Amino acid sequence: MNLKDNQLDLALLQLNELAALYGKNSAVVRAAQAFDRKRRSLKKNAKLFFRRLFKTPAPKPEGKLKILVHVRGGIGDVCMTRPLIKRLRESFPAALIYFCYDSRTTVDTVFPDGLTDGFVPRGYDPKEYDLVIAGCHAFNFDYYDLPRLQYLAPQWMPSFQKALALQQKLQIVINNTPHLDGLWAKISMAYGSARVANTGLTTGFPITQNERAPLKLDPQKLHQTLDKFGLSGKKYITIHDGTNTNTDLHGRQATRCWPRVHWERFGQLFKQKFPDILLVQLGAGNSASFGFADICLVGKTAVPDLPYILQGALLHIDGESGMVHLAHLLQTRSIVMFGPSPLEYLAYDGNINLRAGGCRNCMCIYADWMSRCPLFDTNRCLHAIKPEKVLEETEKLLAAPQADFSSDKK
C-alpha cells in the first residue's frame, strides 16, 4: 500500500464522513455519538483506576522492551498475527513479548514454540508494558512508553512514527470494529494491501499477505494425535463446515459455509474418484455432521489437536475460516471457497481460491452478516461454486508432487 497516495487519504476521509453522516442534521444524534465515545473512554479509565488502587503496576525489566499484543476475533485472527509476532521477535530479540486473547488454549496452540513469552488474560494494566498493540483488522498502539521506546529501540522510531500517523487516520475503523471492517477491507484491496499485510502496515513492519511464519509441531505429539484419531499411516484430506463457536447464527447455516447439498454431492464424487483416501470432517458446535465423512470428528477434538490433524492431511477443503489460516501456518494447502469474505483481502497464493458468483464480498455489511445474506434467502454466492469444480481442483492438488504441498510461497 502506498501511504503517500492522496487517494488513500481521501478514501479514509470519506469513511469518516460516512460514519458522521447520521449526525449531520441532528444535534441529538451528534450528542449521542460523542457520549458513546466518552462513555467507552471513561469505562476503560475507571477500570484501570480501581485496578491500580489494589495492585501497583509491575516494574518493567531493565534494558529490554516489554510488549503486549492483544488480538480480538477468532482463531483465524490469532493465526494471522503470527507473522507480526515473528517480525517483533526478529526486530527485538531481547524483548519480552506477551499475547492477550480470549482463550489461552488457542494462544498456546498457535504459539507453542517460543515466539511469545507468555499469555496475558484480559484486564491487564497497560502501564506494565512499553508497548501495547491491540486490534484485529487494523492495529492500534493502545499504550506506549515513548521515552523507553526511544532509548531501547531507537532504530524503530521512524517506522513507529509512520505507523502512529496511519493509526490516527484509521481511528474511525479502529473505534468502530467490526462494523467498518468490511469497508476497511475494500479500501485495503483498492490500495494494494490485504489482511495479513495490514498487521504490518498499521504497526510499522514490512509484512506481506503470504509472509511465512511456519508453525513447527512436535513429531512425537503428531504421531500420538494421529494415532488417537485412527489416522496414523492413513491417506486423508480434511473438510470443514462451520465458523467461530462464539458467533450467534440464530439457528441458520453460516453464510461463509458451502451449502450442505454441495458437500454431499462432493463427498459422493470424491469417494468414486479416490476410494483409498479418507474424508475427515473437522468442526465444533455450529458445524453439521456429514454422514458421508469416513471419520467425523465434529465436536470430538480439542483445539490443540487441530494443527496435528491438519499437518497430516494431503489437503484441506473449507470456506474462509480459521481452519484455513491454521493450515496455512502448517504449509498444508487448502481449497477455499470465498463468498461473503473478500478473496483478494484474505486469500493466500499457495491455496486454490475459488471465487463465488457475481454476488459476493458482503463481509460486515450488517452486524449479523455471518448468519444472514443481505439480499437473498440463501447465500447464492457459495451456491454458485459447484461440487464438480471443487473435485476438479482437488484432483489437481492430489496429483501434484508431494513437495508442492510444503513449498515456500512468495
Side-chain angles (χ1 to χ4, degrees):
M1 182 180 281
N2 180 8
L3 296 180
K4 296 181 180 179
D5 189 337
N6 290 337
Q7 293 303 307
L8 172 61
D9 287 343
L10 291 173
L12 293 174
L13 287 173
Q14 187 175 29
L15 190 57
N16 276 275
E17 283 298 293
L18 179 64
L21 183 64
Y22 294 106
K24 284 291 183 186
N25 299 311
S26 172
V28 174
V29 173
R30 290 197 301 273
Q33 290 174 331
F35 173 77
D36 184 60
R37 289 192 296 270
K38 190 68 174 176
R39 177 189 62 80
R40 284 184 287 176
S41 176
L42 287 172
K43 183 179 178 181
K44 180 179 179 180
N45 290 332
K47 284 182 178 179
L48 289 174
F49 173 78
F50 286 109
R51 189 177 299 129
R52 288 167 186 161
L53 280 179
F54 301 101
K55 182 182 177 183
T56 303
K60 296 169 187 174
E62 288 291 331
K64 59 173 65 176
L65 289 172
K66 190 177 181 184
I67 301 170
L68 176 66
V69 178
H70 181 179
V71 170
R72 305 177 181 101
I75 187 172
D77 298 292
V78 176
C79 291
M80 286 185 279
T81 312
R82 190 172 163 87
L84 172 62
I85 300 296
K86 178 173 173 281
R87 287 287 183 177
L88 285 169
R89 179 60 70 200
E90 292 168 349
S91 300
F92 312 116
L96 296 173
I97 302 172
Y98 297 92
F99 203 98
C100 176
Y101 180 65
D102 293 340
S103 163
R104 179 169 193 156
T105 301
T106 297
V107 175
D108 290 344
T109 299
V110 179
F111 297 98
D113 49 4
L115 271 186
T116 60
D117 291 289
F119 170 83
V120 173
R122 290 199 300 178
Y124 55 84
D125 189 334
K127 284 194 172 182
E128 293 188 358
Y129 303 90
D130 298 306
L131 179 66
V132 177
I133 301 171
C136 185
H137 288 261
F139 280 111
N140 192 52
F141 296 145
D142 257 17
Y143 174 82
Y144 53 90
D145 186 330
L146 189 57
R148 276 184 53 98
L149 288 176
Q150 289 172 328
Y151 176 67
L152 295 171
Q155 74 285 356
W156 186 55
M157 283 300 96
S159 296
F160 169 81
Q161 295 296 344
K162 286 180 182 178
L164 198 60
L166 177 60
Q167 289 174 18
Q168 291 303 311
K169 296 176 184 178
L170 285 172
Q171 283 305 300
I172 186 66
V173 175
I174 292 165
N175 293 333
N176 291 280
T177 187
H179 309 293
L180 296 183
D181 289 347
L183 282 174
W184 169 231
K186 288 185 168 96
I187 291 172
S188 298
M189 292 185 292
Y191 295 98
S193 193
R195 175 64 177 81
V196 177
N198 281 349
T199 66
L201 182 74
T202 56
T203 56
F205 294 94
I207 296 173
T208 66
Q209 178 65 13
N210 297 286
E211 189 91 4
R212 302 309 301 158
L215 177 57
K216 296 181 180 178
L217 303 179
D218 180 347
Q220 184 176 359
K221 191 171 180 183
L222 174 62
H223 174 75
Q224 291 171 347
T225 304
L226 295 183
D227 191 53
K228 178 171 68 172
F229 294 107
L231 296 172
S232 289
K234 304 288 179 63
K235 291 193 297 181
Y236 66 92
I237 70 169
T238 51
I239 60 174
H240 173 244
D241 175 75
T243 190
N244 192 323
T245 53
N246 293 327
T247 303
D248 186 357
L249 297 176
H250 307 287
R252 308 184 189 107
Q253 184 188 38
T255 53
R256 293 193 300 184
C257 292
W258 209 28
R260 178 160 187 150
V261 64
H262 283 1
W263 274 118
E264 290 175 347
R265 175 61 177 160
F266 171 79
Q268 179 186 37
L269 294 172
F270 181 85
K271 286 186 176 182
Q272 291 172 358
K273 190 73 179 181
F274 301 102
D276 60 331
I277 298 178
L278 298 178
L279 272 173
V280 178
Q281 185 186 4
L282 302 176
N286 52 22
S287 294
S289 299
F290 295 149
F292 63 81
D294 296 297
I295 298 178
C296 180
L297 297 180
V298 172
K300 298 177 182 178
T301 58
V303 171
D305 296 322
L306 297 175
Y308 292 95
I309 296 170
L310 287 167
Q311 176 78 79
L314 296 174
L315 62 92
H316 179 68
I317 304 177
D318 206 339
E320 190 276 312
S321 80
M323 296 283 187
V324 170
H325 301 290
L326 182 56
H328 176 69
L329 296 180
L330 301 161
Q331 302 185 73
T332 295
R333 297 183 70 182
S334 298
I335 296 174
V336 191
M337 293 163 279
F338 284 87
S341 305
L343 185 153
E344 294 85 356
Y345 182 63
L346 287 154
Y348 301 110
D349 286 350
N351 291 336
I352 300 295
N353 302 299
L354 301 180
R355 188 188 302 277
C359 186
R360 57 181 182 269
N361 296 6
C362 61
M363 183 180 82
C364 296
I365 197 167
Y366 289 138
D368 60 349
W369 69 276
M370 284 195 184
S371 63
R372 178 171 67 95
C373 174
L375 295 179
F376 307 108
D377 57 352
T378 60
N379 55 341
R380 292 189 187 181
C381 52
L382 287 172
H383 274 76
I385 300 175
K386 301 303 182 185
E388 291 77 11
K389 176 62 177 175
V390 177
L391 181 70
E392 177 188 334
E393 298 300 337
T394 300
E395 289 185 69
K396 290 178 185 176
L397 281 190
L398 291 177
Q402 190 66 27
D404 286 357
F405 290 98
S406 59
S407 60
D408 256 359
K409 321 294 190 300
K410 63 183 179 181

